[in-house]
């Protein structure tokens, strides 16, 4: 056999083993396989995660309620939404300012589609700039009191991409234990050393800085403007004071605070009356108050320039956002600035739910001042049961259970919007009280 023939033969046998030789029926894997491998390592149906999903479905169906997270919704997710053909009260959408069907936002997005079509066609560096991106970024930077901003395709991706780019092996990340998954995954990307500090424990943060600051080059401190699961607001001015002393960089995830907290609803800068430049890295998703999809980072010109040119998932290795997303975000930003009463209304609605819930003996955790209100439950099973029974009674509030929250932190999470009414909130609290009284005793199984 010539060298070429033996090479072709080796290739053919390899492809045969993989069952990928064109025109040749693949051999049964068991016979073709040279090694014995347990099916849970190559067959998705046997993956432990799939088995766990099936066991969970089986368990809940036997308890008499569905484990179906992909129920069909119709129309806009506002204070009410249609699910499986039923109109229900909706507390599971973060359409805080109720702008996702606002005629000004919709018209702006439609106009952008008329001009640019439904896709930017390539990454921003490659295709050149759609002016709408810059228009949104400039107006956002001005709103936050910083030099510049960059928007990207998804909140999750921009958050993870920015952190992954900024923190390398020789750097340190100190993060509040409750920050969002996009921050946690971003923190892993660059291989930086990571330590969590207990939720809102600034003494613990300072202790970590005192102990470790000197061994690292850059130090990133990560927190949220409003914590998405608990609805509480950290002491950002205190964190600014600490990060200054240690020459660290503070990043605040404003997914649940931008558009909501502060006298004008413009997030932590507005709420605490601080300078935009006091926070090194402003992040938010565009999927909540901005009523579209995408994410941004805002801060100094140097920060934004680096992210635009070098950060994977923001400027590199990713397509540009849809121009219609930038148009919708810009229209939403202008409404936010022109109509601060929207922010006041959503927080007033949440305050009303908090007051009524506490008066009725329900546990709202540490929630305050924001549009996120958890109603704590003794365990995951009770949270699931409560959510299912609420849904039967026409109220949609999603259960948050382990691993999204700690095992002992099961809850129903309520997102309020400007569109909710007092009557809807009263009805919901009355139902919660009634259901709490009739809930089966917690079994503590999950
Ligand atoms: C705190 C926080 N950060 C980041 C994100 C990611 O944003 P998106 O879902 O728009 O990608 C979310 C999404 O829910 C969030 O709650």
């Amino acid at each position: 056999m010539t060298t070429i023939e033996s090479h072709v033969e080796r290739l053919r046998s390899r492809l045969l083993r993989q069952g990928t030789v064109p025109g040749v029926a693949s051999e049964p894997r068991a016979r073709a396989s040279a090694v014995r491998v347990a099916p849970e390592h190559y067959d998705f149906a046997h993956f432990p995660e799939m088995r766990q999903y099936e066991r969970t479905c089986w368990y809940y169906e036997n308890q008499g309620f569905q484990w179906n997270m992909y129920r069909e919704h119709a129309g806009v997710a506002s204070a009410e939404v249609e699910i499986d053909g039923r109109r229900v009260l909706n507390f599971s959408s973060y359409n805080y300012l109720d702008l996702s069907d606002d005629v000004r936002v919709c018209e702006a997005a439609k106009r952008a589609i008329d001009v640019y079509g439904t896709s930017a066609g390539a990454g921003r560096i490659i295709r050149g700039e759609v002016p709408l991106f810059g228009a949104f970024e400039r107006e956002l930077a001005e709103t936050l009191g910083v030099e510049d901003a960059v928007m990207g395709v998804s909140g999750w991706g921009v958050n993870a991409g920015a952190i992954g780019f900024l923190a390398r092996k020789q750097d340190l990340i100190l993060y509040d234990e409750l920050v969002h998954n996009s921050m946690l995954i971003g923190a892993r990307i660059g291989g930086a050393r990571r330590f969590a500090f207990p939720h809102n424990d600034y003494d613990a943060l300072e202790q970590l800085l005192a102990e470790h600051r000197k061994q690292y080059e850059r130090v990133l401190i990560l927190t949220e403007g409003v914590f998405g699961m608990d609805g509480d607001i950290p002491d950002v001015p205190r964190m600014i004071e600490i990060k200054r002393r240690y020459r660290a960089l503070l990043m605040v995830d404003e997914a649940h605070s931008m558009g909501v907290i502060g006298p004008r609803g413009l997030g932590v800068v507005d709420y605490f009356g601080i300078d935009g430049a006091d926070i090194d890295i402003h992040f938010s998703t565009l999927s909540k108050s901005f009523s579209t999809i995408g994410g941004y980072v805002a801060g100094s010109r140097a920060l934004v320039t680096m992210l635009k040119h070098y950060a994977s998932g923001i400027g590199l290795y990713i397509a540009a956002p849809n121009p219609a997303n930038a148009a919708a975000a810009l229209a939403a930003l202008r409404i936010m600035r022109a109509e601060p009463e929207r922010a006041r209304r959503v927080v007033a609605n949440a305050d009303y739910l908090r007051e009524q819930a506490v008066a009725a003996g329900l546990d709202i955790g540490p929630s305050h001042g924001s549009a996120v209100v958890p109603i704590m439950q003794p365990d995951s099973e009770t949270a699931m049961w409560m959510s299912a029974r609420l849904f039967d009674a026409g109220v949609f509030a999603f259960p948050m259970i382990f691993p999204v929250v700690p095992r002992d932190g099961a809850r129903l999470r309520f997102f309020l919007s400007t569109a909710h009414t007092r009557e809807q909130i009263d009805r919901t609290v009355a139902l919660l009280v009634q259901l709490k009284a009739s809930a089966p005793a917690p079994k503590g199984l999950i």
Side-chain angles (χ1 to χ4, degrees):
M1 226 188 260
T2 65
T3 324
I4 292 180
E5 279 166 346
S6 72
H7 174 73
V8 168
E9 186 49 37
R10 274 204 311 277
L11 187 63
R12 189 176 176 280
S13 352
R14 202 174 78 217
L15 293 176
L16 259 176
R17 280 199 305 277
Q18 294 168 351
T20 51
V21 177
V24 176
S26 59
E27 294 179 30
R29 266 168 195 263
R31 253 197 301 136
S33 175
V35 286
R36 279 180 69 83
V37 179
E40 60 262 35
H41 300 316
Y42 65 86
D43 183 342
F44 295 130
H46 287 85
F47 275 24
E49 297 90 334
M50 191 58 209
R51 286 289 168 87
Q52 182 191 343
Y53 175 78
E54 283 165 352
R55 275 198 304 274
T56 310
C57 289
W58 176 86
Y59 176 76
Y60 283 116
E61 269 155 33
N62 276 278
Q63 298 294 308
F65 41 87
Q66 272 189 328
W67 174 264
N68 177 6
M69 300 189 178
Y70 287 84
R71 278 184 291 220
E72 204 164 293
H73 286 222
V76 175
S78 183
E80 291 186 359
V81 67
E82 189 183 313
I83 304 178
D84 288 341
R86 277 176 64 210
R87 195 106 198 120
V88 293
L89 231 173
N90 181 26
F91 291 102
S92 277
S93 303
Y94 26 65
N95 184 11
Y96 290 129
L97 304 181
D98 202 37
L99 290 179
S100 72
D101 65 339
D102 185 281
V103 67
R104 296 161 289 181
V105 177
C106 295
E107 284 305 322
K110 285 177 199 166
R111 272 197 306 277
I113 289 176
D114 288 343
V115 175
Y116 299 103
T118 55
S119 161
R124 287 173 70 176
I125 292 182
I126 295 168
R127 83 169 300 280
E129 196 65 317
V130 171
L132 275 169
F133 298 143
F136 170 67
E137 290 163 347
R138 277 191 300 279
E139 220 162 299
L140 176 70
E142 189 215 315
T143 307
L144 293 171
V146 295
E147 289 175 351
D148 209 349
V150 54
M151 75 172 280
V153 173
S154 90
W156 195 98
V158 168
N159 215 3
I163 298 167
F165 168 75
L166 290 169
R168 311 144 306 161
K169 284 198 172 52
Q170 59 273 42
D171 302 325
L172 173 67
I173 297 182
L174 302 176
Y175 60 95
D176 187 292
E177 63 181 344
L178 296 188
V179 293
H180 189 259
N181 169 276
S182 49
M183 288 192 135
L184 298 179
I185 302 292
R188 284 192 216 153
I189 293 174
R193 187 86 170 94
R194 292 163 280 143
F195 292 111
F197 55 91
H199 184 46
N200 289 341
D201 186 338
Y202 312 109
D203 292 335
L205 167 64
E206 176 138 22
Q207 214 175 319
L208 284 167
L209 283 162
E211 206 174 315
H212 300 285
R213 173 66 186 99
K214 286 212 181 89
Q215 289 97 274
Y216 297 92
E217 295 183 3
R218 304 171 188 163
V219 177
L220 239 61
I221 301 170
L222 309 181
T223 191
E224 293 188 19
V226 162
F227 281 87
M229 290 292 158
D230 293 79
D232 59 333
I233 302 169
D235 187 345
V236 175
R238 173 117 187 249
M239 298 182 87
I240 291 169
E241 185 268 317
I242 295 173
K243 72 101 188 175
R244 277 206 183 113
R245 274 190 286 118
Y246 290 89
R247 290 202 182 270
L249 298 163
L250 177 63
M251 178 168 186
V252 182
D253 177 338
E254 289 234 63
H256 299 275
S257 49
M258 187 62 187
V260 175
I261 67 170
R264 292 173 304 146
L266 299 177
V268 290
V269 167
D270 188 31
Y271 184 84
F272 290 107
I274 53 181
D275 249 21
D278 290 339
I279 294 170
D280 302 283
I281 307 154
H282 299 250
F283 161 82
S284 179
T285 169
L286 300 176
S287 65
K288 298 181 169 63
S289 293
F290 291 92
S291 66
T292 180
I293 192 80
Y296 68 76
V297 168
S300 71
R301 184 142 301 127
L303 167 71
V304 170
T305 303
M306 289 186 295
L307 295 179
K308 277 174 111 165
H309 291 87
Y310 299 132
S312 307
I314 300 178
L316 280 189
Y317 305 114
I318 189 139
N322 191 316
N325 295 136
L330 180 57
L333 177 63
R334 287 180 176 161
I335 297 170
M336 248 180 237
R337 297 178 75 176
E339 300 174 8
E341 60 277 11
R342 283 178 181 272
R344 288 198 280 273
R345 206 169 336 128
V346 66
V347 175
N349 277 343
D351 282 342
Y352 185 68
L353 172 57
R354 279 184 279 264
E355 280 158 29
Q356 298 305 306
V358 169
L362 300 169
D363 178 358
I364 60 162
S367 171
H368 68 95
S370 72
V372 182
V373 186
I375 303 287
M376 305 308 290
Q377 302 298 321
D379 61 8
S380 300
E381 209 179 343
T382 313
M384 294 286 298
W385 184 90
M386 289 284 286
S387 174
R389 297 291 88 87
L390 269 180
F391 188 72
D392 293 343
V395 176
F396 182 41
F398 207 78
M400 290 290 146
I401 60 176
F402 181 80
V404 176
V405 292
R407 277 189 194 281
D408 59 355
R411 67 201 64 185
L412 298 176
R413 182 174 59 170
F414 289 77
F415 290 121
L416 278 295
S417 106
T418 55
H420 285 116
T421 64
R422 298 267 155 129
E423 183 279 319
Q424 290 171 332
I425 295 169
D426 286 338
R427 181 148 48 97
T428 303
V429 172
L431 269 169
L432 283 166
V433 171
Q434 198 182 314
L435 288 171
K436 185 181 171 194
S438 57
K443 298 194 192 87
L445 290 178
I446 50 170

